[in-house]
């Protein structure tokens, strides 16, 4: 990937350290919310917090991508680089592939963060959510509803939704930042508009949110596969739409302003 050739090692290290610090704070905040005795309590705590909760997305992924990605785009799109390319949209392809790899990296760090935290703090990485020893049973006011959760909180199903939703949400942020860079040009504008646009939206519940608020996970999420599927399709659709808009505009982009 050509983008990595232009990435500053110092900037990369600082970004990773900052992101990991946000994850640690999020894990500790989740653990402080009550009983946390199994793996997914440290990945996505149903009371808030966890390595893959909304906090790492809003306070970690969002500012890092909004800051770093425009800088990478600037470095790549210097005159000497552009002159080597016959088709301008190849630049966008490069940015998008870089965004995919970055999204995969952030998702992997969130997953590993929860696994490591669970092992350190509980001595195991077991999933107890489907048992009466788990936090879901503890949190339910009406225990009669617990059987509804058992088939929905298997490790495979929980991991599938957490990984897919976090990866797609991160890629959606990155694709939108590329779009903002196209229309706003100045990095300072891109940074603050992205923070305001996505950061404020995160405070809304999934029903009223347009962006990151849809990544919130609570008890109801696990017994609503329809909502899970809707959120996945919603982010995929959003990525495709912004991707096509960027692709069209890159053909018209001028690099010598």
């Amino acid at each position: 990937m050509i983008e990595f050739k232009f990435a500053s090692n110092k900037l990369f290290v600082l970004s990773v350290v900052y992101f990991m610090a946000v994850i640690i704070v999020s894990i500790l905040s989740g653990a402080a919310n009550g009983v946390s005795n199994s793996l997914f309590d440290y990945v996505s705590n149903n009371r808030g917090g966890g390595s893959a909760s909304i906090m790492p997305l809003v306070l970690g992924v969002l500012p890092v991508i909004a800051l770093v990605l425009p800088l990478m785009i600037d470095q790549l799109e210097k005159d000497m680089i552009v002159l080597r390319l016959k088709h301008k949209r190849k630049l966008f392809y490069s940015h998008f592939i870089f965004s995919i790899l970055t999204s995969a990296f952030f998702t992997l760090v969130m997953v590993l963060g929860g696994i490591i935290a669970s092992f350190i703090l509980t001595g195991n990485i077991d999933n107890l959510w489907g048992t009466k020893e788990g936090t879901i049973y503890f949190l339910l006011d009406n225990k009669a509803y617990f059987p509804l959760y058992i088939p929905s909180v298997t490790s495979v199903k929980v991991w599938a939704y957490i990984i897919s939703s976090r990866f797609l949400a991160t890629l959606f942020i990155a694709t939108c930042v590329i779009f903002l860079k196209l229309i706003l040009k100045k990095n300072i504008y891109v940074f603050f508009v992205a923070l305001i646009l996505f950061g404020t939206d995160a405070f809304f519940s999934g029903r009223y949110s347009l962006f990151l608020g849809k990544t919130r996970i609570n008890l109801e999420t696990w017994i609503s596969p329809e909502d899970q599927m809707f959120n996945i399709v919603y982010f995929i659709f959003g990525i495709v739409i912004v991707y096509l808009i960027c692709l069209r505009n890159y053909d018209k982009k001028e690099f010598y302003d």
Side-chain angles (χ1 to χ4, degrees):
M1 273 300 300
I2 192 170
E3 239 102 347
F4 288 113
K5 296 179 181 178
F6 296 93
S8 164
N9 290 333
K10 185 176 181 180
L11 181 61
F12 174 77
V13 171
L14 289 175
S15 298
V16 172
V17 170
Y18 169 75
F19 183 60
M20 292 178 66
V22 172
I23 285 181
I24 291 172
V25 171
S26 184
I27 290 172
L28 294 177
S29 69
N33 281 332
V35 177
S36 297
N37 60 359
S38 70
L39 172 61
F40 292 118
D41 296 322
Y42 297 95
V43 178
S44 182
N45 194 295
N46 287 296
R47 283 185 169 181
S51 64
S53 67
I54 196 169
M55 183 188 294
L57 286 173
V58 176
L59 299 182
V61 171
L62 175 58
V64 169
I65 288 181
L67 176 65
V68 174
L69 187 54
L71 293 175
M72 296 296 101
I73 292 174
D74 282 341
Q75 288 186 310
L76 181 63
E77 295 184 355
K78 289 180 179 178
D79 293 358
M80 59 179 291
I81 302 299
V82 174
L83 288 173
R84 297 176 188 171
L85 298 174
K86 295 181 180 179
H87 303 290
K88 295 177 182 178
R89 62 172 54 189
K90 286 186 177 180
L91 285 168
F92 173 68
Y93 293 148
S94 180
H95 301 332
F96 189 70
I97 293 173
F98 177 75
S99 298
I100 292 174
L101 296 176
T102 301
S103 300
F105 173 77
F106 279 126
T107 304
L108 179 62
V109 173
M110 285 188 274
V111 168
L112 291 178
I115 293 174
I116 293 171
S118 176
F119 185 76
I120 292 174
L121 298 175
T122 69
N124 65 75
I125 52 173
D126 298 330
N127 173 22
L128 300 180
W129 276 7
T131 71
K132 291 185 178 181
E133 289 76 33
T135 54
I136 288 183
Y137 185 80
F138 173 78
L139 293 174
L140 286 174
D141 293 326
N142 189 341
K143 309 301 183 186
Y145 289 116
F146 181 65
L148 297 175
Y149 285 86
I150 295 176
S152 301
V153 292
T154 62
S155 295
V156 171
K157 290 183 178 180
V158 175
W159 274 130
Y161 182 65
I162 289 176
I163 292 174
S164 59
S165 63
R166 272 48 198 162
F167 172 78
L168 290 172
T170 303
L171 183 56
F172 179 74
I173 292 171
T175 310
C176 288
V177 167
I178 296 174
F179 172 71
L180 290 175
K181 176 65 175 173
L182 259 175
I183 61 175
L184 299 177
K185 301 188 185 306
K186 291 187 178 294
N187 293 345
I188 189 69
Y189 297 159
V190 174
F191 180 76
F192 283 108
V193 169
L195 289 189
I196 293 171
L197 186 63
F198 295 107
T200 55
D201 178 82
F203 289 99
F204 295 96
S205 65
R207 182 172 299 179
Y208 303 104
S209 166
L210 293 176
F211 307 117
L212 294 187
K214 293 191 175 299
T215 63
R216 287 186 177 276
I217 294 177
N218 51 40
L219 282 176
E220 288 71 28
T221 302
W222 302 116
I223 55 172
S224 182
E226 297 83 5
D227 286 347
Q228 294 180 32
M229 183 57 65
F230 175 82
N231 291 338
I232 296 298
V233 173
Y234 184 89
F235 279 117
I236 292 175
F237 182 76
I239 291 167
V240 170
I241 293 298
V242 179
Y243 174 92
L244 293 175
I245 293 173
C246 289
L247 197 62
R248 181 180 179 86
N249 280 275
Y250 253 85
D251 287 332
K252 305 175 183 178
K253 183 174 181 180
E254 294 295 336
F255 296 92
Y256 307 102
D257 296 336

